[in-house]
Structure formats: C-alpha cells, structure tokens
C-alpha cells in the first residue's frame, strides 16, 4: 500500500530539511537497528546507517523514534528536524540523556482512568512532558461510564489544558478526540488506563490487544509492548505507547512553568523575585494556600517536580562538562603527538 506523504503530515517544514538524493518517510515502528517506515512505495523495513548508529551513541535522542520523518536510500541516513518531541529522562541507572517517546505529534492525550480515583500527581507529571513537547495537551479520563468524574477538580490540576471524560464502551466523548486528516495524536498513561481500548474504539477495529484489569487496584498488564503509529479512518493518526512506569523529567523548565501556570502567576506577586514559596515573608503563593485558593497538594507537587527538574538539569550539565573535558584531552593528545620530533 502506497502512502501520500502529505496525508502523513509531510509539509514544507520537513521538505526544507530533506537533502537531495534521499527519500523521505515517516517512522511507524522502531526495533533495534531498523524501523518500519511509511513511504510513497509502501511500508518498508529499513536499517539504520552505521553513521547514524555511531552518532546516536553520543546522544540517544538522535535515534529515530515513532513519528519521526527520516531521510533514507538503502538505509536511514538522518532524522529530519522534529517539530515537536516528547522527551523523558533516560530509564537506565546513571543515564543523563533523554529518551524520545514520540515525535511530530499535534496532540498529547494524557490518559487517566476514572477508576480507581484519578491520580492528580501523575496527570501533572505527564502534562509537564506534554507542554514541554510543544504539542497541545488534552487530559482524557477514560472509563467514565464506571464512575462519576469530578472534571472541575481535574481541571484545577491542568490549567490551560482541555479535560474530557470518555467511555470506549458507550462511545461517550470519542468524536472530540479523533485526530483530523494529517493530524497525529499520542496517548500517554499508565498500564490499565485504557489506551489500547481507546485506540480500538477510535479505529472501529481491533488494532491493539487489550488485557484484563485487576479489580483491586484497576491496574492492567502491559498489553502494548512497543510504540506504534496507526492510521485511523478519516485520515488522522494515533500513537499508542506502553504503560509508563518511570516518567522522569528531562530539560522540562518550560513545560513545568506551563503545567503549573497558576503557581507561576501567583508567584509574580511575591515580595521577592527568587521566592521559593517555603516560609518567605510576603509570599503570594503561600497566602493563596492559606486562603484556600490554591490546594496545598498542588504546591507540594510543584515543589517535587521542580526539584526533580533541577536535579536532571544538573546531571545534564555535568555530562556536558565531562564530554567537553574528554574532547579537549583528545585534542591535546593529538597536538602533543604532532609536536614530537
């Protein structure tokens, strides 16, 4: 089956970055050393080039991910610049690099089930990633037919983002989530949140396997084991992702500011510009908490994520300093070798 690149979202932004002699395609799935790529010649299995693999050893973010546009001939030679990208902290111990979960998405659906009670802290964390990506975030409360959902409470933890309650069983709210022609959405959330069931409901077909959910805690198995770009009826696209256990922040200052825009707005009225909202006099944020205008839980969540973001940034800075030191040592050794008689 051949694909029209424009229907997959290819436009002047990506075309300008494609060097002559190469063909463009969009990554639908990534495996070790190769990708499934949607092209005008159909869906192709294409290996990474050796140069791309070597470059990615310095920074894994440079590797192709689902949603990427790539340039290829007999192998994938380059990843075209990303319009948006969802990046979390690396999952391996001691890894200060980021990991790209999905690229070039227009909408990030932060998926949280109605049962058990929605976890506001998890929603805030995922919204930080979503805002940082540059895409439009939407909080999606699934299984709305199983419990009454307090959307106002959730909206208070998601300023600036849409909040929608949906049911894959009854069809409630699904039409509003359907991506338009050429538009790409991605689903982020824990196992058992109903992401794969939601994909199947939007597609009107059993595209993704689903599993049983434990009644005790509402958790499910990781029925989705890889990220995959899927085409939906009507021309939209959606990326399903495995349930996220570790959702560490990576270079997320802007996303954090947007996810907690209510806290940031209050902070503008603090007496001190560097107020940490702990016990400083004239703190407008603490005054809002005391007056019941800002939940204390939300301020605690902001403090936790801000501390984590600062720690991640310090690790990145330390890695960059170490890499620069290593590069200078190589240069100095080379110079000493040339100067020897």
């Amino acid at each position: 089956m051949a694909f029209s690149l424009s229907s997959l979202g290819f436009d002047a932004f990506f075309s300008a970055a494609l060097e002559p002699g190469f063909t463009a395609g969009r990554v639908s799935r990534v495996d070790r050393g190769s990708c499934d790529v949607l092209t005008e010649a159909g869906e192709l299995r294409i290996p990474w080039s050796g140069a791309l693999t070597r470059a990615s050893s310095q920074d894994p973010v440079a590797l192709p991910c689902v949603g990427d546009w790539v340039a290829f001939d007999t192998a994938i030679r380059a990843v075209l610049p990303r319009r948006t990208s969802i990046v979390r902290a690396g999952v391996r111990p001691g890894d200060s690099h980021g990991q790209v979960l999905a690229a070039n998405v227009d909408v990030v659906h932060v998926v949280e089930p109605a049962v058990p009670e929605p976890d506001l802290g998890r929603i805030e964390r995922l919204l930080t990633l979503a805002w940082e990506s540059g895409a439009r975030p939407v909080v999606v409360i699934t299984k709305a037919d199983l419990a009454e959902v307090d959307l106002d409470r959730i909206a208070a933890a998601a300023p600036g983002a849409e909040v929608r309650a949906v049911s894959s069983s009854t069809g409630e709210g699904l039409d509003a989530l359907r991506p338009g022609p050429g538009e790409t959405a991605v689903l982020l959330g824990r196992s058992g949140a109903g992401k794969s069931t939601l994909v199947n409901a939007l597609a009107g077909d059993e595209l993704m396997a689903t599993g049983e959910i434990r009644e005790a805690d509402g958790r499910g198995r990781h029925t989705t084991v890889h990220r995959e770009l899927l085409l939906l009826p009507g021309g939209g696209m959606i990326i399903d992702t495995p349930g996220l256990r570790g959702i560490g922040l990576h270079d997320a200052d802007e996303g954090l500011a947007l996810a907690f825009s209510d806290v940031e707005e209050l902070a503008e009225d603090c007496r001190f510009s560097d107020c940490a909202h702990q016990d400083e006099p004239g703190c407008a944020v603490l005054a809002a908490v005391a007056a019941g205008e800002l939940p204390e839980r939300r301020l605690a969540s902001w403090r936790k994520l801000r501390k984590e973001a600062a720690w991640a940034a310090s690790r990145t800075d330390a890695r960059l300093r170490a890499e620069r030191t290593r590069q200078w040592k190589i240069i100095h050794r080379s110079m000493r070798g040339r100067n020897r008689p």
Side-chain angles (χ1 to χ4, degrees), residues 2 21 38 85 111 169 179-180 182 198 207 229 242-243 267 294 321:
L38 306 181
S85 59
V111 183
S169 299
L198 184 57
L207 297 182
L229 176 72
L294 180 74
R321 286 195 298 272

Side-chain angles (χ1 to χ4, degrees), residues 133-275:
S133 75
R136 177 170 60 89
V138 178
V139 179
V140 179
I141 305 300
T142 58
K143 309 177 187 180
D145 56 309
L146 300 181
E148 183 125 2
V149 182
D150 186 349
L151 294 182
D152 290 338
R153 177 171 174 266
I154 295 168
E162 292 180 58
V163 178
R164 297 187 177 278
V166 305
S167 168
S168 298
S169 299
T170 67
E172 175 192 350
L174 293 184
D175 286 342
L177 299 186
R178 205 177 304 278
E183 187 178 50
T184 304
V186 64
L187 306 178
L188 298 181
R190 68 166 176 81
S191 291
K195 300 186 301 298
S196 296
T197 303
L198 184 57
V199 169
N200 292 338
L202 290 171
D205 198 0
E206 200 75 13
L207 297 182
M208 305 300 293
T210 58
E212 295 296 324
I213 306 300
R214 295 196 298 259
E215 291 185 7
D217 58 8
R219 295 186 179 274
R221 299 189 192 95
H222 288 266
T223 51
T224 298
V225 295
H226 58 266
R227 292 179 284 278
E228 186 171 359
L229 176 72
L230 302 165
L231 276 63
L232 299 177
M237 292 156 283
I238 197 160
I239 299 174
D240 192 13
T241 64
L244 297 176
R245 290 178 180 173
I247 319 169
L249 301 185
H250 177 79
D251 191 17
D253 286 349
E254 185 175 344
L256 191 60
L258 290 169
F260 290 85
S261 59
D262 51 346
V263 177
E264 297 289 333
E265 185 175 349
L266 287 166
E268 293 178 1
D269 293 328
C270 289
R271 180 182 301 176
F272 304 108
S273 60
D274 60 347
C275 184

